[in-house]
mmCIF file with all atom_site columns, all heavy atoms in Angstrom:
data_model
loop_
_atom_site.group_PDB
_atom_site.id
_atom_site.type_symbol
_atom_site.label_atom_id
_atom_site.label_alt_id
_atom_site.label_comp_id
_atom_site.label_asym_id
_atom_site.label_entity_id
_atom_site.label_seq_id
_atom_site.pdbx_PDB_ins_code
_atom_site.Cartn_x
_atom_site.Cartn_y
_atom_site.Cartn_z
_atom_site.occupancy
_atom_site.B_iso_or_equiv
_atom_site.pdbx_formal_charge
_atom_site.auth_seq_id
_atom_site.auth_comp_id
_atom_site.auth_asym_id
_atom_site.auth_atom_id
_atom_site.pdbx_PDB_model_num
ATOM 1   N N   . LEU A 1 31 ? 88.008 133.887 72.325 1.00 89.00 ? 100 LEU A N   1
ATOM 2   C CA  . LEU A 1 31 ? 86.900 134.003 73.295 1.00 89.00 ? 100 LEU A CA  1
ATOM 3   C C   . LEU A 1 31 ? 87.225 134.733 74.575 1.00 89.00 ? 100 LEU A C   1
ATOM 4   O O   . LEU A 1 31 ? 86.329 135.163 75.293 1.00 89.00 ? 100 LEU A O   1
ATOM 5   C CB  . LEU A 1 31 ? 86.355 132.610 73.611 1.00 89.00 ? 100 LEU A CB  1
ATOM 6   C CG  . LEU A 1 31 ? 85.660 131.911 72.452 1.00 89.00 ? 100 LEU A CG  1
ATOM 7   C CD1 . LEU A 1 31 ? 85.193 130.536 72.871 1.00 89.00 ? 100 LEU A CD1 1
ATOM 8   C CD2 . LEU A 1 31 ? 84.497 132.723 71.941 1.00 89.00 ? 100 LEU A CD2 1
ATOM 9   N N   . MET A 1 32 ? 88.504 134.879 74.929 1.00 91.00 ? 101 MET A N   1
ATOM 10  C CA  . MET A 1 32 ? 88.862 135.499 76.191 1.00 91.00 ? 101 MET A CA  1
ATOM 11  C C   . MET A 1 32 ? 88.369 136.969 76.295 1.00 91.00 ? 101 MET A C   1
ATOM 12  O O   . MET A 1 32 ? 87.805 137.344 77.317 1.00 91.00 ? 101 MET A O   1
ATOM 13  C CB  . MET A 1 32 ? 90.382 135.469 76.404 1.00 91.00 ? 101 MET A CB  1
ATOM 14  C CG  . MET A 1 32 ? 90.789 135.860 77.814 1.00 91.00 ? 101 MET A CG  1
ATOM 15  S SD  . MET A 1 32 ? 90.087 134.850 79.107 1.00 91.00 ? 101 MET A SD  1
ATOM 16  C CE  . MET A 1 32 ? 91.004 133.372 78.881 1.00 91.00 ? 101 MET A CE  1
ATOM 17  N N   . PRO A 1 33 ? 88.483 137.799 75.287 1.00 92.00 ? 102 PRO A N   1
ATOM 18  C CA  . PRO A 1 33 ? 87.965 139.169 75.405 1.00 92.00 ? 102 PRO A CA  1
ATOM 19  C C   . PRO A 1 33 ? 86.431 139.165 75.591 1.00 92.00 ? 102 PRO A C   1
ATOM 20  O O   . PRO A 1 33 ? 85.926 139.967 76.376 1.00 92.00 ? 102 PRO A O   1
ATOM 21  C CB  . PRO A 1 33 ? 88.329 139.843 74.081 1.00 92.00 ? 102 PRO A CB  1
ATOM 22  C CG  . PRO A 1 33 ? 89.485 139.030 73.558 1.00 92.00 ? 102 PRO A CG  1
ATOM 23  C CD  . PRO A 1 33 ? 89.268 137.645 74.028 1.00 92.00 ? 102 PRO A CD  1
ATOM 24  N N   . VAL A 1 34 ? 85.729 138.293 74.925 1.00 92.00 ? 103 VAL A N   1
ATOM 25  C CA  . VAL A 1 34 ? 84.277 138.236 75.103 1.00 92.00 ? 103 VAL A CA  1
ATOM 26  C C   . VAL A 1 34 ? 83.926 137.780 76.512 1.00 92.00 ? 103 VAL A C   1
ATOM 27  O O   . VAL A 1 34 ? 83.046 138.364 77.148 1.00 92.00 ? 103 VAL A O   1
ATOM 28  C CB  . VAL A 1 34 ? 83.689 137.236 74.036 1.00 92.00 ? 103 VAL A CB  1
ATOM 29  C CG1 . VAL A 1 34 ? 82.171 137.019 74.328 1.00 92.00 ? 103 VAL A CG1 1
ATOM 30  C CG2 . VAL A 1 34 ? 83.928 137.700 72.639 1.00 92.00 ? 103 VAL A CG2 1
ATOM 31  N N   . LEU A 1 35 ? 84.643 136.815 76.996 1.00 92.00 ? 104 LEU A N   1
ATOM 32  C CA  . LEU A 1 35 ? 84.415 136.339 78.395 1.00 92.00 ? 104 LEU A CA  1
ATOM 33  C C   . LEU A 1 35 ? 84.729 137.443 79.418 1.00 92.00 ? 104 LEU A C   1
ATOM 34  O O   . LEU A 1 35 ? 83.943 137.685 80.313 1.00 92.00 ? 104 LEU A O   1
ATOM 35  C CB  . LEU A 1 35 ? 85.263 135.113 78.695 1.00 92.00 ? 104 LEU A CB  1
ATOM 36  C CG  . LEU A 1 35 ? 85.169 134.486 80.095 1.00 92.00 ? 104 LEU A CG  1
ATOM 37  C CD1 . LEU A 1 35 ? 83.730 133.948 80.279 1.00 92.00 ? 104 LEU A CD1 1
ATOM 38  C CD2 . LEU A 1 35 ? 86.166 133.405 80.255 1.00 92.00 ? 104 LEU A CD2 1
ATOM 39  N N   . LEU A 1 36 ? 85.803 138.149 79.244 1.00 92.00 ? 105 LEU A N   1
ATOM 40  C CA  . LEU A 1 36 ? 86.178 139.194 80.185 1.00 92.00 ? 105 LEU A CA  1
ATOM 41  C C   . LEU A 1 36 ? 85.174 140.388 80.120 1.00 92.00 ? 105 LEU A C   1
ATOM 42  O O   . LEU A 1 36 ? 84.799 140.922 81.166 1.00 92.00 ? 105 LEU A O   1
ATOM 43  C CB  . LEU A 1 36 ? 87.604 139.697 79.889 1.00 92.00 ? 105 LEU A CB  1
ATOM 44  C CG  . LEU A 1 36 ? 88.706 138.723 80.216 1.00 92.00 ? 105 LEU A CG  1
ATOM 45  C CD1 . LEU A 1 36 ? 90.077 139.283 79.798 1.00 92.00 ? 105 LEU A CD1 1
ATOM 46  C CD2 . LEU A 1 36 ? 88.709 138.355 81.718 1.00 92.00 ? 105 LEU A CD2 1
ATOM 47  N N   . LEU A 1 37 ? 84.728 140.705 78.924 1.00 89.00 ? 106 LEU A N   1
ATOM 48  C CA  . LEU A 1 37 ? 83.735 141.780 78.756 1.00 89.00 ? 106 LEU A CA  1
ATOM 49  C C   . LEU A 1 37 ? 82.422 141.375 79.420 1.00 89.00 ? 106 LEU A C   1
ATOM 50  O O   . LEU A 1 37 ? 81.770 142.200 80.125 1.00 89.00 ? 106 LEU A O   1
ATOM 51  C CB  . LEU A 1 37 ? 83.526 142.122 77.288 1.00 89.00 ? 106 LEU A CB  1
ATOM 52  C CG  . LEU A 1 37 ? 82.544 143.226 77.005 1.00 89.00 ? 106 LEU A CG  1
ATOM 53  C CD1 . LEU A 1 37 ? 83.064 144.537 77.600 1.00 89.00 ? 106 LEU A CD1 1
ATOM 54  C CD2 . LEU A 1 37 ? 82.290 143.350 75.501 1.00 89.00 ? 106 LEU A CD2 1
ATOM 55  N N   . THR A 1 38 ? 82.000 140.160 79.257 1.00 91.00 ? 107 THR A N   1
ATOM 56  C CA  . THR A 1 38 ? 80.755 139.655 79.857 1.00 91.00 ? 107 THR A CA  1
ATOM 57  C C   . THR A 1 38 ? 80.865 139.694 81.372 1.00 91.00 ? 107 THR A C   1
ATOM 58  O O   . THR A 1 38 ? 79.923 140.128 82.074 1.00 91.00 ? 107 THR A O   1
ATOM 59  C CB  . THR A 1 38 ? 80.485 138.246 79.388 1.00 91.00 ? 107 THR A CB  1
ATOM 60  O OG1 . THR A 1 38 ? 80.394 138.235 77.970 1.00 91.00 ? 107 THR A OG1 1
ATOM 61  C CG2 . THR A 1 38 ? 79.186 137.724 79.952 1.00 91.00 ? 107 THR A CG2 1
ATOM 62  N N   . MET A 1 39 ? 81.999 139.314 81.903 1.00 92.00 ? 108 MET A N   1
ATOM 63  C CA  . MET A 1 39 ? 82.187 139.362 83.367 1.00 92.00 ? 108 MET A CA  1
ATOM 64  C C   . MET A 1 39 ? 82.165 140.797 83.874 1.00 92.00 ? 108 MET A C   1
ATOM 65  O O   . MET A 1 39 ? 81.546 141.092 84.922 1.00 92.00 ? 108 MET A O   1
ATOM 66  C CB  . MET A 1 39 ? 83.506 138.678 83.760 1.00 92.00 ? 108 MET A CB  1
ATOM 67  C CG  . MET A 1 39 ? 83.443 137.173 83.611 1.00 92.00 ? 108 MET A CG  1
ATOM 68  S SD  . MET A 1 39 ? 85.042 136.364 84.003 1.00 92.00 ? 108 MET A SD  1
ATOM 69  C CE  . MET A 1 39 ? 85.414 136.978 85.594 1.00 92.00 ? 108 MET A CE  1
ATOM 70  N N   . ALA A 1 40 ? 82.808 141.703 83.163 1.00 88.00 ? 109 ALA A N   1
ATOM 71  C CA  . ALA A 1 40 ? 82.852 143.089 83.592 1.00 88.00 ? 109 ALA A CA  1
ATOM 72  C C   . ALA A 1 40 ? 81.455 143.733 83.584 1.00 88.00 ? 109 ALA A C   1
ATOM 73  O O   . ALA A 1 40 ? 81.027 144.403 84.531 1.00 88.00 ? 109 ALA A O   1
ATOM 74  C CB  . ALA A 1 40 ? 83.791 143.900 82.706 1.00 88.00 ? 109 ALA A CB  1
ATOM 75  N N   . VAL A 1 41 ? 80.691 143.461 82.534 1.00 88.00 ? 110 VAL A N   1
ATOM 76  C CA  . VAL A 1 41 ? 79.348 144.008 82.427 1.00 88.00 ? 110 VAL A CA  1
ATOM 77  C C   . VAL A 1 41 ? 78.456 143.422 83.521 1.00 88.00 ? 110 VAL A C   1
ATOM 78  O O   . VAL A 1 41 ? 77.645 144.087 84.146 1.00 88.00 ? 110 VAL A O   1
ATOM 79  C CB  . VAL A 1 41 ? 78.737 143.770 81.033 1.00 88.00 ? 110 VAL A CB  1
ATOM 80  C CG1 . VAL A 1 41 ? 77.245 144.084 80.989 1.00 88.00 ? 110 VAL A CG1 1
ATOM 81  C CG2 . VAL A 1 41 ? 79.485 144.618 80.001 1.00 88.00 ? 110 VAL A CG2 1
ATOM 82  N N   . SER A 1 42 ? 78.611 142.107 83.787 1.00 91.00 ? 111 SER A N   1
ATOM 83  C CA  . SER A 1 42 ? 77.826 141.475 84.838 1.00 91.00 ? 111 SER A CA  1
ATOM 84  C C   . SER A 1 42 ? 78.159 142.102 86.224 1.00 91.00 ? 111 SER A C   1
ATOM 85  O O   . SER A 1 42 ? 77.243 142.328 87.012 1.00 91.00 ? 111 SER A O   1
ATOM 86  C CB  . SER A 1 42 ? 78.132 139.977 84.915 1.00 91.00 ? 111 SER A CB  1
ATOM 87  O OG  . SER A 1 42 ? 77.732 139.344 83.756 1.00 91.00 ? 111 SER A OG  1
ATOM 88  N N   . MET A 1 43 ? 79.409 142.378 86.464 1.00 91.00 ? 112 MET A N   1
ATOM 89  C CA  . MET A 1 43 ? 79.805 142.984 87.731 1.00 91.00 ? 112 MET A CA  1
ATOM 90  C C   . MET A 1 43 ? 79.235 144.384 87.878 1.00 91.00 ? 112 MET A C   1
ATOM 91  O O   . MET A 1 43 ? 78.787 144.827 88.960 1.00 91.00 ? 112 MET A O   1
ATOM 92  C CB  . MET A 1 43 ? 81.323 142.995 87.882 1.00 91.00 ? 112 MET A CB  1
ATOM 93  C CG  . MET A 1 43 ? 81.856 141.588 88.125 1.00 91.00 ? 112 MET A CG  1
ATOM 94  S SD  . MET A 1 43 ? 83.650 141.527 88.029 1.00 91.00 ? 112 MET A SD  1
ATOM 95  C CE  . MET A 1 43 ? 84.102 142.511 89.424 1.00 91.00 ? 112 MET A CE  1
ATOM 96  N N   . VAL A 1 44 ? 79.212 145.154 86.781 1.00 88.00 ? 113 VAL A N   1
ATOM 97  C CA  . VAL A 1 44 ? 78.662 146.509 86.819 1.00 88.00 ? 113 VAL A CA  1
ATOM 98  C C   . VAL A 1 44 ? 77.189 146.492 87.089 1.00 88.00 ? 113 VAL A C   1
ATOM 99  O O   . VAL A 1 44 ? 76.677 147.244 87.951 1.00 88.00 ? 113 VAL A O   1
ATOM 100 C CB  . VAL A 1 44 ? 78.996 147.252 85.490 1.00 88.00 ? 113 VAL A CB  1
ATOM 101 C CG1 . VAL A 1 44 ? 78.186 148.532 85.389 1.00 88.00 ? 113 VAL A CG1 1
ATOM 102 C CG2 . VAL A 1 44 ? 80.468 147.537 85.376 1.00 88.00 ? 113 VAL A CG2 1
ATOM 103 N N   . PHE A 1 45 ? 76.436 145.628 86.433 1.00 87.00 ? 114 PHE A N   1
ATOM 104 C CA  . PHE A 1 45 ? 75.000 145.566 86.695 1.00 87.00 ? 114 PHE A CA  1
ATOM 105 C C   . PHE A 1 45 ? 74.708 145.010 88.064 1.00 87.00 ? 114 PHE A C   1
ATOM 106 O O   . PHE A 1 45 ? 73.766 145.473 88.749 1.00 87.00 ? 114 PHE A O   1
ATOM 107 C CB  . PHE A 1 45 ? 74.303 144.722 85.622 1.00 87.00 ? 114 PHE A CB  1
ATOM 108 C CG  . PHE A 1 45 ? 74.021 145.498 84.376 1.00 87.00 ? 114 PHE A CG  1
ATOM 109 C CD1 . PHE A 1 45 ? 74.796 145.305 83.241 1.00 87.00 ? 114 PHE A CD1 1
ATOM 110 C CD2 . PHE A 1 45 ? 72.996 146.435 84.342 1.00 87.00 ? 114 PHE A CD2 1
ATOM 111 C CE1 . PHE A 1 45 ? 74.557 146.052 82.089 1.00 87.00 ? 114 PHE A CE1 1
ATOM 112 C CE2 . PHE A 1 45 ? 72.751 147.174 83.186 1.00 87.00 ? 114 PHE A CE2 1
ATOM 113 C CZ  . PHE A 1 45 ? 73.516 146.985 82.084 1.00 87.00 ? 114 PHE A CZ  1
#
Side-chain angles (χ1 to χ4, degrees):
L100 292 178
M101 190 60 71
V103 174
L104 180 64
L105 292 176
L106 181 64
T107 303
M108 287 176 55
V110 169
S111 296
M112 290 172 64
V113 167
F114 278 104

